[in-house]
Amino acid sequence: MTLPADFVSALDDVRPRLGLLATSVTYFETVGSTNDAAAALSEGAVVVADAQTQGRGRRGRSWFSPAGSGLYVSVVLTPSRSVDPRRATSLTTIAAGVALADGVEAAAGLSVRLKWPNDLYVGRRKLAGILAEAGGASARIVVLGYGINVGEGAYPADLRDRVTSLESELGSRPPRARVLAETLAALAGRYDDLLAGRFDAILSGWRRRAAAHGARVEWTGADGPRSGDVVDIDDDGALLVRVAGATERIVSGELNWT
Ligand code: BTN
């Protein structure tokens, strides 16, 4: 399918800021998952869909992806070509959260916070999520997929206590094309930081937007449910939590605020 004209024009507006990204942009009216469609592509490729039938979230969840109101995007990155592979995925995850928050703010003028590792929140409601997956024939490829609730129809009404959209927050719906263009431009900037080893800029961007520092959180550890107080993230993007006087490092998992 051809990319709609408003998307073409919004991408043209930010072309000088797209860096290594959007070397190709593939558009689907409907696709299973944009992450699957992107897995065979090379660095910089972008896949966008109006709707997904098999949209995936983190931790095996599905991502509600109806036509016309969400933004469903996947971008192919190869961070380990210059970042130590042991840190590449976690730092890419952190960088993507910062970029998405910056891009949403630029496109919609709405300030958002990050919940570790990279969920975008407004207050206690989730606005957008990111799924980073190893993909393609080469283990170096990371497919970074993100979903943003632009219109109110992007999430089921029964989730409205926990989920929000740009339209719900702003009272009107910003153009999806502009949200796409600004998030890709921000992602290109953070990807450039990542490849150039400017990790401090990424980590400090994340800390500025951290939603839960000092907050009490719960998560599921190897031995069952745990809770503690968020302290910080470390240089690899792992979460540091204070539990009974000691600091624990969480590298993967899902946090809940208590
Ligand atoms: C999360 O659980 O918060 C991550 C959600 C990621 C959803 C996006 S939508 C575009 C891309 N394709 C998918 O199947 N998932 C991601």
Side-chain angles (χ1 to χ4, degrees):
M1 272 282 315
T2 326
L3 190 64
D6 54 334
F7 283 68
V8 173
S9 143
L11 288 174
D12 281 347
D13 288 347
V14 299
R15 185 74 54 196
R17 293 190 281 134
L18 287 177
L20 294 167
L21 303 191
T23 43
S24 73
V25 182
T26 308
Y27 178 78
F28 294 94
E29 256 174 21
T30 303
V31 72
S33 160
T34 55
N35 269 29
D36 291 338
L41 305 179
S42 48
E43 187 187 36
V46 172
V47 176
V48 184
D50 185 42
Q52 299 182 113
T53 55
Q54 304 285 329
R56 285 197 292 281
R58 292 173 64 232
R59 309 188 73 70
R61 286 188 293 252
S62 60
W63 186 259
F64 188 65
S65 309
S69 63
L71 195 55
Y72 315 114
V73 186
S74 295
V75 183
V76 180
L77 306 176
T78 55
S80 61
R81 72 180 166 84
S82 73
V83 181
D84 178 345
R86 285 166 302 184
R87 308 175 74 193
T89 306
S90 58
L91 287 172
T92 304
T93 298
I94 293 291
V98 177
L100 223 58
D102 287 347
V104 165
E105 190 160 308
L110 177 71
S111 174
V112 299
R113 311 297 287 170
L114 288 168
K115 178 178 155 220
W116 186 88
N118 58 12
D119 285 336
L120 270 67
Y121 270 76
V122 180
R124 293 274 164 125
R125 292 188 172 85
K126 182 161 166 168
L127 175 72
I130 302 174
L131 176 69
E133 296 178 311
S138 153
R140 295 198 327 173
I141 283 181
V142 173
V143 178
L144 192 91
Y146 60 91
I148 303 178
N149 300 329
V150 178
E152 274 169 1
Y155 59 91
D158 61 344
L159 291 187
R160 72 177 158 257
D161 290 348
R162 289 184 284 134
V163 181
T164 191
S165 67
L166 293 175
E167 184 177 18
S168 320
E169 296 300 325
L170 299 167
S172 66
R173 186 195 292 208
R176 280 189 299 175
R178 185 157 154 71
V179 180
L180 171 71
E182 288 296 343
T183 49
L184 285 178
L187 197 55
R190 292 303 179 180
Y191 188 44
D192 197 42
D193 284 343
L194 193 64
L195 294 179
R198 292 188 291 271
F199 304 141
D200 284 350
I202 294 167
L203 294 167
S204 62
W206 194 94
R207 288 181 179 116
R208 264 199 307 280
R209 294 192 180 276
H213 280 195
R216 187 111 191 123
V217 289
E218 286 176 349
W219 70 101
T220 303
D223 304 323
R226 317 261 300 140
S227 64
D229 299 315
V230 172
V231 178
D232 200 356
I233 49 171
D234 71 10
D235 289 350
D236 292 333
L239 189 74
L240 303 175
V241 181
R242 198 87 185 143
V243 183
T247 301
E248 287 193 19
R249 188 170 181 271
I250 304 177
V251 292
S252 69
E254 176 97 348
L255 294 186
N256 286 314
W257 287 308
T258 64

